[in-house]
Amino acid sequence: MAKFRFAGRVIKKNKTYVDFPYLITVCIMIAFGLIMVFSASSAVSVRLHGDSWAIFRQQAAWVAVGAIGMFVASNYDYKKLGKWANIGLGITIVMHIAVLIPGLGISVGGATRWLGTQSVRFQPSEFAKIALILFFARHLSTNASKLKTFKGLLFPYMVVIGIMGGLLMFQPHFSATLLISVTLIVMLFVAGAKLWHFAVISAPAVPLLIWLVISAPYRLRRITAFLDPFNPEFVREESFQIVQSLYAIGSGGIFGVGLGRSRQKFLYLPEPHNDFIFSVIAEELGWIGVILVISLFIFLIKRGIKIAANAPDAFGTFLAVGITTLIGFQALVNIAVVTSSMPVTGMQLPFFSYGGTAMAVIMTAMGVMLNISRQSSATQL
């Protein structure tokens, strides 16, 4: 709080500022991520485009788009976002229905998750993450008291989770379903939902999950391969990714083989610049790099919790909780997958993995967090 004299009186003036440690951490992670995308993608980029810089340039272009989104969002009053909550959810549902319509949805690798063209496409699920957080934050901030009853929890929140989960599973997109569901459930828990509510609701979900695994043989084989990844029956197919990932992590040692010197990225490790970029980080930078990446996420989550706790209103708190949970859980699952701590599922590492839509959306979400922190400081000072 600045002080100055006017007519012999001391005048106090509030200064608003963003959470600079949060902003600096985000910038470091984005810059670090760009370096690792170039390093991890060079071999794949040459094979696909004949240019080792091609994938990096695409990612850098999306980072520029994301930077604009982050700047705009950090200067746009987050309280005004509430009026777009219902519209955003409606648009998201329409996009996910469009994905399932033959001729509109684009299929890659047996999954139909994209809209657009083969050369320029985006995943509606990336927008769904933020749209659903916004919708829940808007309504929980005004109706949190209703969560004390089972009916208040079930309608409309669990219905919305069920609808979006169903649309995502039809694509199929299990990882996005898991990520979104966990994020929204955490928001409900923070809002005051009781544990026995979740227990009652989860009871029917257990046989449903078992049926989903049994009904899709590839999922069952993934789980079996996870339990014994080096089994010759699975090592060439189901567990190929995780075996190559473990080779990369194991060969990194403490200090790594050196930036840009990964061997597994040379067409051994599938998606080295995307879902398995953490493996390349471990191979090239060793445990030093691994500890650095994990420390950055821990610090970012810690600051995110602080922003949520100091938000000037309930809407800001729920919004910050949702975004922070999204980043934290996504990073946790990605690292767990590449280290063979859980069965393989497609989950990007925020700020590091290649992906245009994901990068632009998450950077814009960081702008929202910065705006909440700015208004928090204005309220407290």
Side-chain angles (χ1 to χ4, degrees), residues 149-171:
T149 65
F150 185 79
K151 182 179 180 180
L153 172 68
L154 190 62
F155 298 100
Y157 306 110
M158 297 308 296
V159 172
V160 172
I161 293 176
I163 291 174
M164 287 306 306
L167 290 172
L168 288 168
M169 288 304 296
F170 273 116
Q171 296 182 8

Side-chain angles (χ1 to χ4, degrees), residues 38 47 84 104 119 158 164 190 198 231 260 283 286 305 338 343:
F38 172 67
R47 181 171 66 88
W84 301 103
L104 291 180
S119 57
M158 297 308 296
M164 287 306 306
V190 171
F198 295 114
N231 188 319
E283 183 182 8
I305 294 173
V338 303

Side-chain angles (χ1 to χ4, degrees), residues 160-188:
V160 172
I161 293 176
I163 291 174
M164 287 306 306
L167 290 172
L168 288 168
M169 288 304 296
F170 273 116
Q171 296 182 8
H173 203 344
F174 178 76
S175 59
T177 305
L178 175 65
L179 177 60
I180 290 173
S181 298
V182 169
T183 299
L184 299 180
I185 288 174
V186 169
M187 292 178 68
L188 289 173

Side-chain angles (χ1 to χ4, degrees), residues 178-222:
L178 175 65
L179 177 60
I180 290 173
S181 298
V182 169
T183 299
L184 299 180
I185 288 174
V186 169
M187 292 178 68
L188 289 173
F189 180 75
V190 171
K194 298 179 180 179
L195 288 176
W196 73 267
H197 288 161
F198 295 114
V200 172
I201 293 173
S202 300
V206 173
L208 176 61
L209 288 174
I210 296 175
W211 177 81
L212 286 172
V213 172
I214 296 176
S215 64
Y218 79 92
R219 292 196 190 104
L220 184 60
R221 288 184 64 85
R222 276 188 179 183

Side-chain angles (χ1 to χ4, degrees), residues 360-381:
V361 169
I362 200 169
M363 287 182 67
T364 302
M366 293 301 94
V368 175
M369 292 291 291
L370 291 172
N371 186 264
I372 296 172
S373 73
R374 171 182 282 125
Q375 299 202 39
S376 299
S377 64
T379 300
Q380 292 172 35
L381 290 177

